[in-house]
Amino acid sequence: MIIGLTGGIASGKSTVSKYLAEKGFKVYDADKIAKDISEKKSVQENKILDENGNIDRKKLKEIVFENKDKLKKLNGIIHPKVIDFYKKLKEKNTDEVIIFDVPLLFESGLDKFCDKILVVISDYEIQLNRIVERDKIDRELAEKIIKSQLSNEERIKKADVVIENNSNLEDLFEKVERFCEMI
């Protein structure tokens, strides 16, 4: 069984993903896969590099979320390679439960490879404050990033299970445990 795990930026999706991995589930994180792909020389020509030759993710975020065409171009480079990775996993999967941790699950079309969809959501203000604090970016850029993604309402319509993450970690983990009991 393949479970698609998704949620907006700073919703708590990565915390849920990490928790599931610690419980022994195989988790494949699209952000890590995309990062590995983007660091390959063949896709670095359109990126911003820091003084060590690594991609400066903060600068890249500022550029692509200020310009929709640049975001589209970046996604056009990365998404097909990530999708190919997940297609191969789907083809190999037997009866094992694996988690596809994909922030843009619906936008990329990867939801069609999943047997169940788990969506993590949080209220807009909570999400906004988390991203500003976590990524050390200004509120305006954080708002642009959130608004560039599907809304919680759109995600909920496509979900099999929704976990609301507006409280503390203990509450979140209790909800994840209840989800695990359903698998």
Side-chain angles (χ1 to χ4, degrees), residues 136-147:
K136 308 292 185 236
I137 60 175
D138 64 50
R139 196 169 173 86
E140 185 179 332
L141 178 57
E143 288 174 343
K144 286 180 183 175
I145 294 169
I146 293 170
K147 288 177 181 169

Side-chain angles (χ1 to χ4, degrees), residues 93-105:
N93 187 40
T94 55
D95 294 332
E96 187 177 22
V97 175
I98 61 174
I99 312 292
F100 283 6
D101 175 349
V102 186
L104 302 177
L105 184 74

